[in-house]
Amino acid sequence: MQVPFERIVQDYGLNVLRICRALLDEHRAQDAWSETFLSALKAYPQLAEDANVLAWLVRIARNKAIDELRKNKPEILDDHLQWEHADDQVNLGKEADNLQLWKEVAKLPQKQRMVVGYRYLGGLSYTQIAQLVSGSEASARRAGSDGIKNLRRILGDDSLWQE
């Protein structure tokens, strides 16, 4: 018997959002997240009970992110507008750090960005990632390692995403 779909959203929603966010800007990532779960809801009754739900959702999210990139041109966000409405000064430093991290992740070469997103934000294994990016497990490990190495160098944080 399959678990209720609401439980799937609760359990994997953050993982899917992280994947979408690694591939898209914040606004389009939220659209892709919504589209992912709408598609998943339609297909969920036909999903095998022994299927890896997270890997299935990540594959849908990847495809929705690609759809978003195809149908929308890149947009330039005016970052300072979101800060005008921020009331909580305590969280501004943390949000600025997260924003910087997302910007640096977006600058990584495509394969490194995808592997870092799938591994460290989505929680997939390298075997699952290799299937998604059409490569070997070893090349996925190499791309992930190179991506984290680049992020640590750029951000000056050696403790970033320790395994």
Side-chain angles (χ1 to χ4, degrees):
M1 180 172 178
Q2 290 183 324
V3 297
F5 191 75
E6 295 81 19
R7 181 64 190 242
I8 299 294
V9 175
Q10 290 173 350
D11 290 349
Y12 302 112
L14 187 57
N15 296 71
V16 171
L17 182 60
R18 288 176 178 160
I19 293 297
C20 293
R21 188 63 181 94
L23 301 173
L24 301 167
D25 63 50
E26 185 176 351
H27 176 72
R28 286 193 270 170
Q30 292 174 2
D31 290 345
W33 183 91
S34 297
E35 292 295 323
T36 297
F37 280 103
L38 284 174
S39 292
L41 178 62
K42 291 176 187 171
Y44 186 61
Q46 287 81 38
L47 184 67
E49 290 192 26
D50 62 340
N52 183 329
V53 175
L54 179 58
W56 174 67
L57 288 171
V58 167
R59 184 176 297 269
I60 294 171
R62 183 192 73 158
N63 293 338
K64 293 300 177 186
I66 291 170
D67 290 347
E68 280 291 321
L69 289 171
R70 286 182 180 151
K71 73 179 179 184
N72 297 312
K73 293 180 180 177
E75 59 188 61
I76 299 171
L77 297 178
D78 198 359
D79 290 335
H80 73 277
L81 290 177
Q82 76 183 67
W83 304 114
E84 289 179 1
H85 302 291
D87 295 327
D88 189 1
Q89 296 295 324
V90 176
N91 290 329
L92 287 178
K94 186 176 181 180
E95 290 182 19
D97 290 345
N98 285 339
L99 186 60
Q100 178 66 27
L101 176 61
W102 288 121
K103 285 181 178 178
E104 297 306 331
V105 168
K107 292 178 186 174
L108 290 174
Q110 183 180 7
K111 187 168 184 178
Q112 290 179 16
R113 183 177 67 242
M114 292 174 69
V115 172
V116 167
Y118 293 149
R119 176 70 181 164
Y120 296 97
L121 304 175
L124 295 182
S125 70
Y126 285 111
T127 303
Q128 293 168 322
I129 294 169
Q131 293 170 350
L132 287 172
V133 297
S134 301
S136 68
E137 184 178 332
S139 70
R141 286 183 185 277
R142 184 77 234 170
S145 175
D146 290 345
I148 294 300
K149 182 178 169 183
N150 286 335
L151 289 173
R152 287 179 181 156
R153 180 182 45 79
I154 292 167
L155 298 172
D157 185 357
D158 290 338
S159 64
L160 184 67
W161 284 322
Q162 296 285 343
E163 284 196 85

